[in-house]
Amino acid sequence: MIRYGGLAVLISALVIVVLLPFATSFVESWSRRDVDLRSQLVFNAARAQIEDAWARGDAAALEALFGRIATDARIAAIGLCEDGALTLATGGMPAGFGCDAAPADGAAGPRPVALDGETALVTAHLLSAPGEGDARLVLLHDLAFIEERAGETRMALVLALVGVGFGGAALASALSIIVLSRWRHSVRQAIEDVREGRSEDDTPSDTQIGEEIKSALGELELARRQIDTVHTIWNPDTLQVALANELPGSEVIVVSNREPYIHNRKEDGTIQVQRPASGLVSALEPVTRACGGTWIAHGSGSADREAVDEHDRVGVPPSKPSYTLRRLWLSDEEQDGYYYGFANEGLWPLCHIAFVRPIFRESDWRFYRSVNERFAEAVVAEAKRPDPIVLIQDYHLALAPRMIRDRLPSATIITFWHIPWPNSETFGICPWREEIVDGMLGSSILGFHTQFHCNNFLDTVDRFMESRIDRESDSISLAGHETFVRPYPISIDWPPAALEGQAPVPETRVTVRERLGLAPDIKLGVGIERFDYTKGILDRMRGVDALLDAFPEWKGRFCFAQVAAPTRAKLASYRNLQAEAEELAAEINARHGADGWEPIKLLARHHEPDEVFELFRASDLCIVSSLHDGMNLVAKEFVASRDDEQGVLVLSAFAGASRELSEALIVNPYDAYEMGRVIHRALTMDAAEQRERMKVMREQVEARNVYRWAGQMLLDAARLRKKERIMRLIEAKERRSGRPNERRRKPAA
C-alpha cells in the first residue's frame, strides 16, 4: 500500500516538473494569439472611423479616437505610420519606437520588440484610402498580463496536481491494479469501436471511462468535419496546408471535358493562349493551381497539338507553370456523338428540365461510352501510384468513375456533377439510366451543388438499382463498394483575379457608358451568359419589356446590356436561341426605343474576364434569370466585383445560388410581369439598402469560396482514406487471427 501511495505522490511530482514549462509556454503562446485576436477586433471595430478621419486629414479626430482605444488596459499605445514615419501616436508610445519595428501587415501576427529595456508586442494593420502610399495602424501591447496569467496557471496546476497526487495515494493501494487493468481494456475497446464505426448499442463499454472516451473521440471527429466553418479563411495557402497535413504525398488528377487553357493559331500565324468562358474552368483552375498535379482534358484548340510534348503534356499556366495539362484527342465524329450528341442533346436538357426535348441516339451512346473509356485509360496512364485522388468533373464523364475503379481499385474517386439532377421519374426517360447511375457509383464520393439534387439522385438509385441505401449517412452500397453522396456548393476564387487592375467604379461607369453610346445618367443593367436556353435570356428581355410597359418613366433612362457568347453552334436549339434573342431584342427596341435610345443592347461575342468585371462594376443591377441551374457562378462573380458595395442582384429562384445569396432580389423568371416589377424595385433601391444587401452577400461569397469547395471534398476524401486504411489493417489482423468480426461495418465519411 505504501509503495502504491508513494508511487502516486512521485508521479504527481514528476508530472508537475514536466508540465510546468509546457504550461508556461502554452499560456504565453495562447496570450500572444489573444493579443493578435484583440488587435484584429480593435482594428475591425475602428477601421471605418480611422480611414474616414485619415482620408479627411482630421488629425484631431484621429487623436481623440486613438485616445479612446488606448484606454484598454492591455493596449499601451497606438500610432499611425505613414511611409515608414510615425506621424501620430498616443502618450504611451516609447520615444525610441520606429515604424520599422512594426510588421508589414497584420497577417504576420504580433512581433516582439525591445523598447527601453522591456519587451512589448507590436501589431500593424494596413489602411486603405484614396491616394497612394503605405499607411499602417500600429498597436503596442502591454505584456504584464501574460506573466500574471502564466503565474496563475502554474499555481493552479501545482495545487491541482498536488491535490490529485495525495488524494490518489489514499485509494491507489487498493484500487490501482484493478482500475488500471479495466481502464486499459476500456480505452482499447472505445478507440477500436470509434474507428470501426460501431455504435454504443453494438458494443457497450465496460466502464464509464470508456463511454466518456468514446464520446470524446466522437466529438473530435465532428470537430474535424467542421474544419471548413466560418472560422477558417479558405485560400490557396490554407488549401495547400490542409492537403499537406491531411493528404501528404497524395497524387491529384483532375478529369474534365473542357481544358483550362486553349492554344489557338491566329490569322497572323502566332499562337494565342485563351481561357475558355466556363464556370467549371473558373472554379477548378485556381484549385488545381493550389493543389498541383495533372489535369486531363480534350484538346480542342487549333494549335493545341503544337503546344504539347511527345506525351501530349504541357505545363500551365503558361506564364508560371504549376501543374500539368494532359490533352486527349477526339475525332470530329467522336466529338459529335459524345459531346454534342449524348451529353448536350441528351443529358443536358434532361437534367435541366428546360422544355427542350432530350434526344437519345444509339450511335451517340456508343461514342459516349468509348470516349469515357479513353479518359479512364488516360487516368491510369498518368497515375504514378495505385491510389491517386481523381476529381472527375461533370455530366460528360458519367461512366468514367466505374471504369477507373475497375482499373485502379484503391483510387479515391470524387465525381462532381455540375448541373442539376432531376427527379427519378424525369431521369427515367434516359434509355441507359442504369448504366449511367452504375458508372457514377464507381465514385468514392459523389457531389452535387445542393442537398435537393443529392436527394433526387438517391431517389433515382432507389428506383432503378438493386442497392443498399443508408439515408442516415447518405451512402449507397453496390457490389461491395460504398459511395457517399454529398452537397458541395461550388463558388469562385476570392479575391477574383479579374478584379486586379480594375479602375474605380465612378471611372468605370463613365467608360462603359461612353463605349455603349449611353448618356452618363442612364441606369444600366447587365446580363452575362452563354447563348443557352437554360439561362433565361429571352425571359429577362421580356422582363425589361414588362418594366417599360408598367413603368414608362424608365424609357430613355434605363438600358439593359445582354452579353451572350455563342456556344454549341452545331446544335439547332442553340442557333435558334441566338436568332430568337436577336429578333426579340430588335422587336422590343422598335416598340420602346426613341431618339437614338434603345432599351436592349445585345452583345453577341465572347468577353474576357476583365471585360466582364468592368461591365459588372459599371452597372446598377445584374439579372441572373436561369430557368434551371445547378449553381450559377455569374451571380457570385457580380457580387465579388462590387467592392463598392453597390449594385443589385436580381436572381432566379431556380438557380442553386439563390440558396446562398438570399439577400438578392429573388424572382420567378417565367413571370415577366413580376420580373418587370422586381427590376423597377432594383432601380429605385436606395444606396444604404444596396450596401447592406451587398455586404452580406460578399461575406458569403468570400467565406464560401472555391477553395472551401475543394477543401471540403478533399478533406472528406482524406478522412475516407484514413478510415479505409484502418479497415484494411483490421481485416489483415483478423485474417491472421482467423476470427473475423461479423459486426464490423464500413465507417461513414
Side-chain angles (χ1 to χ4, degrees):
M1 294 175 62
I2 296 176
R3 180 178 61 184
Y4 289 123
L7 183 61
V9 174
L10 178 61
I11 291 175
S12 298
L14 290 175
V15 169
I16 292 173
V17 172
V18 172
L19 288 186
L20 277 181
F22 290 98
T24 301
S25 175
F26 172 79
V27 170
E28 291 178 353
S29 175
W30 168 36
S31 300
R32 287 174 182 265
R33 290 196 299 272
D34 188 26
V35 166
D36 190 23
L37 178 60
R38 177 180 292 270
S39 176
Q40 289 286 348
L41 292 174
V42 169
F43 177 66
N44 290 337
R47 179 177 186 175
Q49 300 177 57
I50 294 173
E51 290 182 344
D52 180 65
W54 177 52
R56 292 186 283 103
D58 192 346
L62 284 173
E63 289 179 355
L65 182 58
F66 284 8
R68 289 196 300 272
I69 298 174
T71 57
D72 190 323
R74 297 185 185 179
I75 298 180
I78 301 176
L80 178 66
C81 289
E82 296 184 78
D83 296 325
L86 185 66
T87 59
L88 184 65
T90 59
M93 185 68 72
F97 178 83
C99 289
D100 56 346
D105 55 64
R111 174 186 292 178
V113 294
L115 296 173
D116 300 331
E118 296 183 359
T119 301
L121 289 180
V122 177
T123 57
H125 304 275
L126 289 175
L127 297 174
S128 61
E132 297 181 354
D134 173 63
R136 288 172 284 162
L137 180 70
V138 178
L139 289 89
L140 195 66
H141 303 268
D142 186 2
L143 300 185
F145 82 96
I146 296 181
E147 182 56 33
E148 181 181 348
R149 180 183 289 176
E152 293 175 353
T153 303
R154 287 193 295 268
M155 180 59 66
L157 180 64
V158 169
L159 293 176
L161 291 177
V162 168
V164 169
F166 283 99
L171 299 174
S173 56
L175 302 176
S176 59
I177 296 178
I178 299 175
V179 170
L180 179 61
S181 175
R182 295 194 63 186
W183 182 82
R184 289 173 59 188
H185 172 75
S186 181
V187 168
R188 284 197 300 268
Q189 177 184 320
I191 294 175
E192 185 176 349
D193 289 346
V194 171
R195 284 179 173 175
E196 297 186 27
R198 288 197 292 263
S199 66
E200 295 181 3
D201 295 336
D202 294 335
T203 54
S205 295
D206 295 340
T207 67
Q208 182 63 32
I209 293 177
E211 294 293 341
E212 293 175 358
I213 291 173
K214 288 175 70 173
S215 175
L217 288 173
E219 292 175 2
L220 177 61
E221 179 66 16
L222 178 61
R224 289 175 57 81
R225 291 191 184 195
Q226 296 174 338
I227 191 172
D228 59 341
T229 60
V230 293
H231 301 293
T232 300
I233 300 175
W234 284 97
N235 54 42
D237 294 335
T238 307
L239 187 55
Q240 287 179 328
V241 170
L243 293 177
N245 292 337
E246 300 295 330
L247 293 166
S250 295
E251 179 184 12
V252 177
I253 301 175
V254 177
V255 189
S256 70
N257 175 75
R258 189 182 294 269
E259 54 185 338
Y261 292 91
I262 302 174
H263 291 80
N264 283 319
R265 185 167 295 283
K266 300 170 64 178
E267 292 182 359
D268 60 5
T270 60
I271 295 178
Q272 179 186 37
V273 181
Q274 178 185 351
R275 285 191 63 189
S278 165
L280 184 151
V281 173
S282 298
L284 268 183
E285 202 273 340
V287 173
T288 316
R289 286 193 194 186
C291 298
T294 303
W295 188 320
I296 300 174
H298 164 225
S300 59
S302 58
D304 274 356
R305 290 181 183 269
E306 301 173 50
V308 298
D309 60 17
E310 65 274 14
H311 302 293
D312 298 326
R313 303 186 184 105
V314 60
V316 291
S319 58
K320 188 179 179 182
S322 57
Y323 65 94
T324 300
L325 172 58
R326 160 69 191 281
R327 284 173 170 150
L328 202 67
W329 314 113
L330 302 180
S331 67
D332 291 342
E333 190 178 21
E334 287 176 316
Q335 182 76 343
D336 288 343
Y338 143 77
Y339 179 78
Y340 290 106
F342 191 80
N344 287 306
E345 284 190 293
L347 290 179
W348 179 269
L350 176 70
C351 290
H352 281 89
I353 321 176
F355 309 109
V356 172
R357 184 182 187 278
I359 299 173
F360 296 105
R361 307 180 188 91
E362 177 67 31
S363 59
D364 292 343
W365 168 250
R366 288 197 299 269
F367 280 120
Y368 185 85
R369 187 171 52 199
S370 65
V371 171
N372 271 250
E373 192 89 33
R374 291 184 58 193
F375 272 98
E377 291 170 352
V379 169
V380 175
E382 294 298 320
K384 301 176 180 62
R385 48 187 296 169
D387 61 342
I389 297 175
V390 184
L391 303 174
I392 300 176
Q393 304 303 312
D394 227 348
Y395 61 102
H396 311 95
L397 301 167
L399 304 179
R402 176 66 66 194
M403 296 172 175
I404 296 171
R405 174 72 58 201
D406 291 341
R407 293 164 171 80
L408 295 172
S410 298
T412 300
I413 303 172
I414 306 173
T415 300
F416 189 78
W417 192 263
H418 287 260
I419 63 176
W421 188 272
N423 58 54
S424 59
E425 183 177 1
T426 299
F427 192 78
I429 295 172
C430 179
W432 299 280
R433 61 202 180 202
E434 288 87 358
E435 290 89 335
I436 290 174
V437 171
D438 178 76
M440 296 173 69
L441 291 179
S443 310
S444 308
I445 300 173
L446 181 57
F448 297 91
H449 286 297
T450 66
Q451 185 62 50
F452 179 72
H453 297 149
C454 293
N455 295 341
N456 279 350
F457 181 80
L458 290 169
D459 291 341
T460 301
V461 175
D462 192 22
R463 181 166 181 174
F464 297 114
M465 305 294 292
E466 288 292 336
S467 60
R468 182 176 63 83
I469 299 176
D470 186 340
R471 295 280 180 172
E472 184 176 350
S473 64
D474 283 343
S475 67
I476 302 165
S477 296
L478 179 68
H481 173 73
E482 190 168 17
T483 300
F484 296 95
V485 183
R486 297 286 183 267
Y488 300 111
I490 201 170
S491 191
I492 61 174
D493 57 324
W494 185 278
L499 199 56
E500 296 180 7
Q502 290 284 340
V505 169
E507 180 181 333
T508 302
R509 292 175 65 87
V510 173
T511 301
V512 169
R513 280 162 177 76
E514 289 178 351
R515 185 186 306 143
L516 296 177
L518 303 176
D521 59 343
I522 284 185
K523 294 275 191 176
L524 178 63
V526 297
I528 299 179
E529 309 288 351
R530 294 177 293 112
F531 265 122
D532 191 296
Y533 51 78
T534 68
K535 302 302 181 182
I537 294 175
L538 301 178
D539 300 88
R540 72 189 62 166
M541 289 184 182
R542 295 187 183 104
V544 172
D545 187 28
L547 166 75
L548 299 176
D549 283 336
F551 303 96
E553 63 268 25
W554 287 111
K555 291 185 178 182
R557 298 176 51 218
F558 170 68
C559 178
F560 180 69
Q562 175 62 59
V563 172
T567 183
R568 302 171 185 168
K570 285 189 175 184
L571 303 181
S573 56
Y574 290 84
R575 295 195 306 271
N576 295 340
L577 171 66
Q578 182 169 351
E580 189 175 354
E582 292 170 350
E583 181 180 345
L584 180 59
E587 177 187 335
I588 295 173
N589 287 338
R591 184 163 60 254
H592 296 290
D595 300 326
W597 167 80
E598 293 180 335
I600 295 179
K601 289 188 177 294
L602 187 58
L603 309 176
R605 69 170 181 85
H606 169 74
H607 283 59
E608 294 296 331
D610 58 333
E611 296 179 280
V612 170
F613 270 64
E614 185 182 43
L615 284 169
F616 282 152
R617 291 166 64 78
S619 67
D620 296 284
L621 63 94
C622 174
I623 303 178
V624 175
S625 56
S626 304
L627 304 180
H628 201 181
D629 224 332
M631 178 55 64
N632 192 290
L633 298 181
V634 170
K636 296 188 176 183
E637 288 175 343
F638 173 72
V639 169
S641 73
R642 299 314 296 255
D643 51 5
D644 63 334
E645 297 182 348
Q646 292 297 293
V648 182
L649 175 61
V650 178
L651 179 59
S652 168
F654 307 118
S658 66
R659 272 82 168 172
E660 296 185 281
L661 305 179
S662 56
E663 290 72 26
L665 298 184
I666 308 301
V667 66
N668 177 1
Y670 293 95
D671 187 343
Y673 177 76
E674 180 196 357
M675 179 87 75
R677 297 188 67 84
V678 170
I679 295 173
H680 173 73
R681 182 184 174 193
L683 291 171
T684 56
M685 185 181 294
D686 62 70
E689 183 179 353
Q690 290 183 40
R691 182 174 297 107
E692 290 302 316
R693 289 174 176 271
M694 187 60 70
K695 184 177 181 180
V696 174
M697 290 191 291
R698 284 175 59 80
E699 290 173 352
Q700 173 80 357
V701 175
E702 179 182 7
R704 292 176 172 265
N705 58 39
V706 73
Y707 305 104
R708 178 185 183 275
W709 172 75
Q712 280 185 303
M713 290 191 293
L714 293 171
L715 290 175
D716 281 351
R719 287 189 284 268
L720 185 59
R721 287 164 75 93
K722 291 177 181 178
K723 291 177 179 179
E724 286 175 344
R725 284 198 295 270
I726 292 173
M727 295 299 295
R728 288 195 292 269
L729 289 173
I730 294 174
E731 289 171 356
K733 178 180 178 181
E734 290 174 352
R735 284 195 298 269
R736 290 194 299 269
S737 65
R739 296 193 304 273
N741 188 346
E742 296 180 356
R743 291 180 303 180
R744 187 182 65 250
R745 57 183 175 88
K746 192 169 184 177

